[in-house]
Amino acid sequence: MRCYQAFSIRALAFVSLSLLASSCSNSSDTEFKHTIFVFGTLIEITLFDTSETLADDAFEHLERTFHDYHARWTPWETSQLSRINDSIRADSPVAIPADLFTMISASRDLFQSSRGMFNPAIGKLINLWQMHRHDDPGIRPPDPDDIAKLVQQNPRMSDIRLQGSVLHSSNRAVQLNLGAFAKGYAIDLALEYLQARGIEHAVINAGGDLRVIGRHGERPWRIGIRHPRENDIIAWLDTEAGESVFTSGDYERFYMHQGRRFHHILDPRTGYPAEGVSSVSVIHRDAGTADAAATALFVAGAESWHEVARSMGIKYVMLIDNTMRIHMNPAMRQRVHLINPESVHIVLSEPL
Ligand code: ADP
Ligand code: MG
């Protein structure tokens, strides 16, 4: 029987998820699960074909490590990252730890390949929009003049110089916020750790963004892609060993003001939430790149996603625009199973 092993759909009730999961309880695989609440989301780790002792050790280690990553990388509280941001503001060079060195230099490459659509240097704009307060009924869009000022300061990842372990920004308006990349990167690190411990078969799923390594019995790991406007899925796909599937959507953190939707994915060129797109899903090998690419292609929009995906080396993309047309490259079309294929408008692109 093929069953919906991992129908983890963002924002759908976890009750229904556990029902789907329990419908797979006839699985003969040895499965160990552990859930961690971190990075503002539930991270579910599933291990296969290992021992209980190894699984328990790994869960304990990952629980600690994920919380440590959050504490080091958060821009909202005092952290290793906030210390770097303080130094950039003060125009002073700063020695940075190895984990942030790797993340910042990877982010700089992703900034370049995404043509600036993925730009974690826009921390000031992200702060100005206050999207973490999206549930607060008093929240309003910022003053347009304040937005314009920050856009004019033009903070870019390419302003950052890394020499040895020292970081210096030639632009004091740069403030780093790694929110579009850190979760994916943390998943990559966690899977590397599991492999180093001899655990070859695992899935780490952060609210529908996931990476799979190895096998799980006979079945591939199946993931649902959420309908951006309905409390249901619009499609599903099977992930192969080593792959990640990441989605960025305008339904994650948003509020309505005067009939307009304001969400958390910002277009660095305008300083406003990126327009025209409802969600972007990508399949890629490493989760860090998949995470950054989903954000970047969201900003690129229906016009430019193809060009930016090519430049980033992404081979599978599904973009749902805000008229609910589904844009895909042919290889993605082969893998996506639409729930109601007759009622959706598909726009097929050139191959990537
Ligand atoms: P989620 O965290 O919901 O999975 P994303 O991966 O798309 O969503 O990341 C969105 C977060 O990244 C935002 O909340 C903000 O902190 C930051 N961000 C917003 N716009 C950009 C951008 N253009 N480039 C880089 N980071 C961004
Ligand atoms: Mg992302």
Side-chain angles (χ1 to χ4, degrees):
M1 180 185 89
R2 273 170 94 88
C3 67
Y4 287 70
Q5 195 175 38
F7 248 127
S8 309
I9 304 135
R10 289 185 178 203
L12 284 191
F14 275 89
V15 182
S16 63
L17 296 187
S18 52
L19 284 178
L20 283 163
S22 65
S23 69
C24 293
S25 60
N26 62 346
S27 157
S28 57
D29 310 334
T30 341
E31 224 179 77
F32 301 95
K33 275 187 193 292
H34 185 70
T35 310
I36 305 171
F37 187 77
V38 68
F39 297 124
T41 188
L42 271 182
I43 299 198
E44 185 186 62
I45 305 164
T46 313
L47 310 181
F48 304 88
D49 295 341
T50 186
S51 70
E52 191 162 359
T53 320
L54 261 183
D56 284 347
D57 279 1
F59 291 150
E60 200 188 306
H61 174 90
L62 291 180
E63 175 98 37
R64 242 182 306 119
T65 317
F66 270 112
H67 287 295
D68 185 45
Y69 292 153
H70 181 262
R72 297 170 66 77
W73 304 341
T74 178
W76 307 114
E77 292 149 45
T78 304
S79 67
Q80 293 288 343
L81 186 69
S82 75
R83 200 175 54 82
I84 296 170
N85 282 337
D86 291 346
S87 300
I88 294 173
R89 257 198 312 273
D91 198 19
S92 43
V94 57
I96 65 173
D99 55 342
L100 280 160
F101 185 93
T102 311
M103 291 174 87
I104 292 168
S105 89
S107 296
R108 218 173 36 170
D109 295 345
L110 290 163
F111 166 84
Q112 292 295 359
S113 63
S114 72
R115 315 249 154 98
M117 307 295 145
F118 168 76
N119 184 5
I122 60 169
K124 280 170 112 180
L125 262 175
I126 295 168
N127 291 352
L128 184 68
W129 278 93
Q130 295 274 303
M131 278 301 166
H132 57 282
R133 288 179 50 226
H134 63 96
D135 280 337
D136 179 341
I139 189 162
R140 298 276 174 279
D143 183 331
D145 289 343
D146 293 340
I147 297 173
K149 261 183 228 145
L150 293 188
V151 171
Q152 212 171 13
Q153 292 175 346
N154 198 18
R156 293 167 307 175
M157 287 307 283
S158 49
D159 294 326
I160 289 179
R161 298 275 163 275
L162 293 167
Q163 256 173 354
S165 61
V166 175
L167 177 150
H168 182 243
S169 170
S170 55
N171 182 347
R172 292 172 71 165
V174 165
Q175 289 288 282
L176 298 170
N177 180 317
L178 299 169
F181 172 69
K183 202 167 55 187
Y185 183 66
I187 290 176
D188 288 331
L189 291 180
L191 288 168
E192 259 174 45
Y193 163 80
L194 291 174
Q195 281 175 315
R197 296 295 313 268
I199 299 172
E200 298 291 337
H201 311 289
V203 179
I204 303 188
N205 183 352
D209 289 334
L210 58 79
R211 183 167 185 192
V212 175
I213 56 166
R215 301 179 314 273
H216 341 94
E218 298 300 303
R219 301 180 305 268
W221 192 264
R222 185 163 292 182
I223 171 105
I225 307 290
R226 200 193 126 145
H227 191 300
R229 294 291 175 269
E230 291 168 18
N231 200 14
D232 205 347
I233 63 165
I234 194 163
W236 56 267
L237 55 88
D238 286 334
T239 43
E240 309 289 333
E243 281 183 342
S244 307
V245 182
F246 271 69
T247 299
S248 280
D250 68 358
Y251 47 81
E252 290 290 337
R253 252 167 291 155
F254 75 97
Y255 60 88
M256 301 299 293
H257 180 67
Q258 297 180 341
R260 219 176 126 191
R261 177 184 287 257
F262 293 92
H263 61 80
H264 72 311
I265 301 168
L266 301 178
D267 185 334
R269 297 165 295 189
T270 63
Y272 282 80
E275 285 185 34
V277 177
S278 292
S279 79
V280 175
S281 303
V282 305
I283 309 175
H284 190 70
R285 196 169 168 77
D286 68 284
T289 305
D291 195 352
T295 309
L297 300 182
F298 192 109
V299 177
E303 298 284 287
S304 318
W305 69 266
H306 194 266
E307 184 192 330
V308 175
R310 264 201 184 153
S311 160
M312 296 185 86
I314 305 293
K315 302 291 181 202
Y316 300 95
V317 180
M318 176 167 97
L319 178 150
I320 307 180
D321 69 26
N322 58 10
T323 64
M324 295 301 119
R325 285 185 311 176
I326 304 183
H327 305 249
M328 286 187 273
N329 61 302
M332 185 62 147
R333 178 70 193 98
Q334 295 280 313
R335 295 190 57 178
V336 162
H337 300 261
L338 294 160
I339 302 296
N340 285 314
E342 59 294 332
S343 69
V344 292
H345 182 144
I346 297 173
V347 185
L348 211 55
S349 74
E350 291 292 306
L352 276 171

